[in-house]
Amino acid sequence: MSAITIAQKDFQDAIQSWMLLGLTAVFVVFTAGAAYVYIALGAIGGGGEVSSLALINFLSGLTVFFIPLIGLIVGYKSIVSERESGSIALLLSLPHTRRDVVLGKVLGRTGVVFTSAIVGFLIAAGVVVVLAGSLSLGNYVLFVLASLALALTFVSLAVSFSAATRSSTLSLVGAGTLTSLFIFPVIWSLIPTLVRFILNEYTPLTLDMATQPEWAQFFVQLDPTAAYSNVLHVLIPDLTSGPLAGAGGDVPFYLAPSFGFVVLAAWIVVPLMLGYYRFNSTAL
Amino acid sequence: MSAIELTNLTKQYGDVTALQGFDLTVEEGEIYGFLGPNGAGKSTTINILLDFARPTSGDTEVLGHDAQAESKRIRERAGVLPEGFDIYDRLTGRKHLNFAIKSKKSDDDPDALAERVGIADAIDRKAGGYSKGMTQRLVLGMALVGKPDLLILDEPSTGLDPNGAREMREIIRAERDRGATVFFSSHILSQVEAVCDRVGILLEGELVAQDTIEGLRDTTSTEATLVVEVDRVADGVLDEVRTLAEVSEASAEGTTITVSCEDSSKTVVLDTIEDAGVSVENFTTESASLEDLFASYTTDEHHRPADEADQLRDGNSQSDGATIQSATGADGSTDEDTAGRP
């Protein structure tokens, strides 16, 4: 499988460039460090199930910010830098299709992020077990899985821009802009408010979903970091977070928390398809 | 079946026409030299063969496959040394070769390949530290992976020293003898002349000639150029020479007389000059090289590159006074002279 071969080469390159090691260090500092600080500050009271949830809640508040950033940094140069240097000519003179290149890059870079994230989360778990005595393993694993899905989403997004552009600056601007819209959730949530303002609708200055029309609520759910929170909420129902956690009763399926899975999947697939389409239709 | 079959290949970039609808055929098992000055469209053509760029119109068939629809099939059977490539600085030569071996699902031995292209001692070093010539050798090694049916080499001798260029030619010949077709572009004419079975000359996006080197000589000029160093150019000596049936052109500059004549008539020309009361101090001859053929296509008037004239003057100081540059004699010995040509 051609894409796997490319992914392996990319992974080797990441090892040689210290990217893997650096990223692992970042993850260890962030997750294990955050867990340590959280526990050391005495935020965990009694221990056991509830405190594990509180810890996951706390960690997810961080991951939602820094995992997208890492996805962006790892992905935005992946293809375009090969185009800029000319190594893409070497890559594509071997029997790989451009689809293999896009897929291989996503796999390779995701592999790098996954490896370092898993190491970071494992060490964080160790820190928690040692300091707090216990950790709800099932919930923690689900949290890690959801976080990996978030990582894959932002790696794909950045690789898509990297496939679609000819300059890494442009790729960074494109992927960076979109990523910032999502990691500062207020910005994305304000877009429907802004639209309603332009349309001269009555717009209370609030982020309370219930007061928004349905389309605006739906729009807000399209934020992949919101989708991540929703997915977490579905996977770990006891978790209090998630923008739709309060929305109970009869909501349309696209406003249900489980729609977060669809949103994440869409953010993984659709940009990649567009990026590939653009990459495939241009000369090298 | 032809290895490469281009029909009415056209490529336009906006208003600029890079390729003006030419046909080109490379037969299986031959070494085909693709010649042309920089900007003629050689790399554009090769990029189209590899589906790096798409033609505006025309058919491109490589190894019986359509270059756009079945590009991967082509690249499974072709070895490529592309133009303007870069290697992966952080990966070793071995990792590069292994990547090519894996990509081509081959079972070649990276050490044997490295040995063949002369980088065996550097195989475990990071390729980022390689010189330009070593990089070129590494990528040639990658191109040889899996015994390709077709080798596409874009300016293969770039960055190689004369020795490296000779080894490159030996590999090209060995690959042809194995049964592979070799298609390579160059503006270094002695390279092409020394190894090619056939050449095509691309000029401003048009294939102005496609023939064997012998064939090109026949259709253009079989004349030799005779450069005679004399003590003085007497009045009328040029007219005397021009009246000879074998002479097509004669001119003088300072104490140098340049005569275009049939190869066999040198003695007659020299005798005529001496008969006019001029003493010949030295002379050199040169049979029509590919460079002359090339020049006759690529310029409107007969054009002699300045550095070649230098070479001829240098020849005058030699004791026998005659240097003959020919297709067979050019192997290896002229690379140094030609390497710097644009």
Side-chain angles (χ1 to χ4, degrees):
Chain A
M1 179 73 187
S2 226
I4 304 276
T5 309
I6 294 174
Q8 283 171 339
K9 184 218 53 117
D10 212 44
F11 196 82
Q12 284 179 337
D13 204 27
I15 294 173
Q16 292 297 330
S17 71
W18 302 92
M19 188 210 256
L20 186 67
L21 208 65
L23 214 53
T24 306
V26 168
F27 263 102
V28 169
V29 168
F30 251 88
T31 54
Y36 174 78
V37 168
Y38 191 72
I39 295 165
L41 287 178
I44 293 181
E49 186 69 16
V50 177
S51 62
S52 287
L53 284 177
L55 178 80
I56 289 171
N57 220 356
F58 175 73
L59 282 181
S60 69
L62 287 174
T63 48
V64 87
F65 180 79
F66 95 96
I67 283 188
L69 267 187
I70 282 177
L72 168 71
I73 291 164
V74 168
Y76 85 92
K77 268 183 146 178
S78 53
I79 295 173
V80 74
S81 71
E82 291 221 22
R83 222 166 167 172
E84 286 175 328
S85 76
S87 57
I88 193 96
L90 202 58
L91 188 56
L92 282 176
S93 56
L94 293 167
H96 305 294
T97 62
R98 298 196 194 186
R99 196 184 59 204
D100 295 331
V101 172
V102 174
L103 281 180
K105 286 290 179 179
V106 172
L107 288 175
R109 301 291 158 128
T110 305
V112 172
V113 178
F114 276 18
T115 307
S116 47
I118 287 169
V119 171
F121 283 127
L122 274 177
I123 293 179
V127 167
V128 175
V129 170
V130 168
L131 293 182
S134 77
L135 177 73
S136 163
L137 192 65
N139 284 344
Y140 190 73
V141 167
L142 289 173
F143 160 67
V144 170
L145 287 177
S147 302
L148 294 182
L150 183 69
L152 171 59
T153 310
F154 279 89
V155 170
S156 309
L157 195 67
V159 171
S160 309
F161 275 94
S162 192
T165 54
R166 284 176 178 281
S167 106
S168 48
T169 314
L170 213 59
S171 171
L172 179 61
V173 169
T177 306
L178 208 50
T179 303
S180 351
L181 284 184
F182 299 140
I183 58 178
F184 304 110
V186 180
I187 303 179
W188 185 261
S189 310
L190 277 179
I191 293 176
T193 310
L194 202 69
V195 170
R196 291 176 68 201
F197 181 75
I198 292 166
L199 294 174
N200 268 328
E201 278 187 44
Y202 168 68
T203 51
L205 265 178
T206 171
L207 292 172
D208 181 8
M209 284 299 108
T211 64
Q212 303 264 356
E214 218 165 63
W215 68 263
Q217 292 186 38
F218 174 67
F219 183 85
V220 171
Q221 299 321 308
L222 294 181
D223 178 348
T225 60
Y228 167 68
S229 301
N230 287 330
V231 162
L232 268 182
H233 180 72
V234 173
L235 294 177
I236 314 171
D238 296 332
L239 216 56
T240 48
S241 74
L244 291 177
D250 282 337
V251 290
F253 72 95
Y254 53 84
L255 289 181
S258 53
F259 194 68
F261 288 101
V262 180
V263 172
L264 278 188
W267 275 112
I268 293 166
V269 175
V270 176
L272 276 183
M273 284 171 65
L274 294 174
Y276 162 70
Y277 177 77
R278 174 96 190 116
F279 181 42
N280 196 41
S281 58
T282 51
L284 289 187
Chain B
M1 193 185 66
S2 314
I4 298 176
E5 182 91 60
L6 307 180
T7 314
N8 195 25
L9 189 66
T10 309
K11 175 68 181 177
Q12 284 173 317
Y13 295 101
D15 291 344
V16 182
T17 304
L19 303 177
Q20 324 210 23
F22 67 85
D23 298 347
L24 183 153
T25 309
V26 177
E27 300 299 341
E28 277 190 348
E30 71 175 350
I31 301 176
Y32 189 100
F34 194 40
L35 273 176
N38 290 330
K42 300 191 300 291
S43 286
T44 302
T45 306
I46 288 181
N47 285 345
I48 289 170
L49 296 180
L50 299 172
D51 196 34
F52 291 177
R54 315 257 152 78
T56 308
S57 64
D59 287 332
T60 318
E61 233 177 59
V62 182
L63 299 168
H65 299 291
D66 181 84
Q68 276 73 55
E70 302 172 292
S71 178
K72 187 170 178 172
R73 297 287 300 280
I74 292 169
R75 287 174 287 130
E76 279 165 2
R77 293 175 54 199
V80 183
L81 195 158
E83 180 239 15
F85 66 85
D86 193 15
I87 37 78
Y88 298 101
D89 288 355
R90 290 179 292 261
L91 300 183
T92 60
R94 185 185 300 279
K95 287 218 165 89
H96 278 84
L97 291 167
N98 278 332
F99 178 57
I101 289 166
K102 225 170 152 187
S103 297
K104 289 204 155 176
K105 300 179 178 72
S106 157
D107 56 359
D108 281 352
D109 173 19
D111 287 299
L113 283 163
E115 182 74 46
R116 192 164 172 214
V117 296
I119 55 161
D121 51 339
I123 185 171
D124 287 315
R125 274 169 43 201
K126 286 187 182 177
Y130 285 12
S131 67
K132 183 80 188 80
M134 287 164 76
T135 307
Q136 201 76 5
R137 288 163 185 261
L138 171 61
V139 178
L140 176 67
M142 290 171 75
L144 296 176
V145 167
K147 296 193 169 52
D149 296 329
L150 171 66
L151 276 170
I152 298 176
L153 313 173
D154 202 349
E155 300 281 356
S157 50
T158 307
L160 293 178
D161 57 20
N163 209 25
R166 197 198 67 242
E167 286 171 28
M168 172 76 74
R169 286 196 296 273
E170 281 165 6
I171 287 174
I172 287 174
R173 283 200 198 93
E175 288 295 297
R176 189 258 325 262
D177 294 344
R178 175 177 64 76
T181 308
V182 183
F183 179 80
F184 79 94
S185 78
S186 185
H187 62 263
I188 299 173
L189 304 172
S190 63
Q191 279 274 316
V192 177
E193 194 165 26
V195 294
C196 284
D197 299 318
R198 280 200 313 149
V199 295
I201 297 176
L202 192 69
L203 186 63
E204 287 169 7
E206 276 184 287
L207 199 70
V208 293
Q210 177 169 254
D211 207 339
T212 60
I213 289 166
E214 299 313 314
L216 283 180
R217 282 220 177 84
D218 288 343
T219 53
T220 50
S221 161
T222 55
E223 293 190 328
T225 302
L226 182 61
V227 180
V228 189
E229 198 72 23
V230 292
D231 59 343
R232 66 191 172 87
V233 181
D235 291 342
V237 64
L238 284 180
D239 292 331
E240 288 286 335
V241 171
R242 283 181 186 131
T243 54
L244 293 169
E246 301 90 342
V247 171
S248 65
E249 210 184 317
S251 62
E253 197 187 319
T255 56
T256 306
I257 299 173
T258 305
V259 182
S260 297
C261 62
E262 279 172 27
D263 216 9
S264 55
S265 57
K266 285 179 297 192
T267 330
V268 185
V269 173
L270 291 172
D271 288 349
T272 310
I273 292 173
E274 297 219 299
D275 289 349
V278 174
S279 79
V280 172
E281 292 179 345
N282 217 333
F283 71 91
T284 58
T285 57
E286 195 179 88
S287 62
S289 72
L290 193 54
E291 186 133 357
D292 295 317
L293 303 181
F294 187 51
S296 72
Y297 281 106
T298 55
T299 55
D300 294 325
E301 51 189 334
H302 186 69
H303 163 79
R304 175 170 293 283
D307 51 355
E308 191 176 328
D310 290 340
Q311 196 178 314
L312 291 173
R313 272 197 294 281
D314 291 343
N316 290 334
S317 59
Q318 291 173 11
S319 56
D320 66 354
T323 55
I324 296 173
Q325 189 182 27
S326 69
T328 47
D331 195 353
S333 58
T334 57
D335 287 318
E336 211 154 10
D337 300 320
T338 51
R341 276 180 200 163

